[in-house]
Amino acid sequence: MAIEPVRCMTAEIEAGVAPAAALFHSLSDETRLRIVQHLACGEARVTDLVDRLGLAQSTVSKHLACLRDCGLVDYRTEGRQSFYSLTRPELLDLLESAEALLEATGHAVTVCPVYGPEAEQEATR
């Protein structure tokens, strides 16, 4: 499949590379991505996410703060509880596109020596 010439690196696209890299970096953490996947089903409290993900409250809160700072999630308060939700429906489109890309490439990224799971394990040693 050939790439359309219009989609090559234009000045507008080039100017948006750093913000795009920041967006993808915000989603590159497995915990943040799992939080986004849960919030795709609807709003949730920190305690709900702690129970679903099996992580410490401080870990979930830290990742929610990152996603909130990136403008991807927000919260509303009800009494003493905070309910988190996704701010942009386009994020779901992005995740669906990522799933389609993974399927189309045969999940080749999972065996990538730089970004695959084995590289991640090696980095934590």
Side-chain angles (χ1 to χ4, degrees):
M1 175 166 92
I3 296 177
E4 299 174 30
V6 177
R7 298 192 67 172
C8 291
M9 191 65 82
T10 65
E12 291 171 335
I13 292 172
E14 190 171 344
V17 168
L23 169 67
F24 285 110
H25 185 71
S26 72
L27 297 171
S28 69
D29 183 88
E30 184 178 336
T31 298
R32 287 192 294 273
L33 195 52
R34 290 174 63 204
I35 289 170
V36 167
Q37 288 174 321
H38 282 288
L39 294 178
C41 297
E43 62 181 16
R45 300 170 301 161
V46 172
T47 57
D48 299 328
L49 294 168
V50 165
D51 291 344
R52 291 179 191 158
L53 299 172
L55 298 170
Q57 180 271 326
S58 59
T59 301
V60 172
S61 292
K62 177 186 80 168
H63 288 292
L64 281 169
C66 175
L67 292 167
R68 192 176 63 248
D69 291 344
C70 294
L72 300 176
V73 303
D74 205 355
Y75 67 95
R76 66 175 180 84
T77 56
E78 190 175 300
R80 295 180 57 189
Q81 299 183 77
S82 296
F83 293 85
Y84 287 84
S85 61
L86 299 178
T87 58
R88 305 298 315 171
E90 297 90 345
L91 185 53
L92 299 177
D93 296 335
L94 178 64
L95 295 176
E96 288 177 8
S97 293
E99 288 175 3
L101 184 58
L102 284 169
E103 189 174 312
T105 62
H107 295 262
V109 73
T110 60
V111 295
C112 174
V114 177
Y115 298 111
E118 289 181 18
E120 181 74 24
Q121 290 174 355
E122 192 66 33
T124 58
R125 288 184 192 167

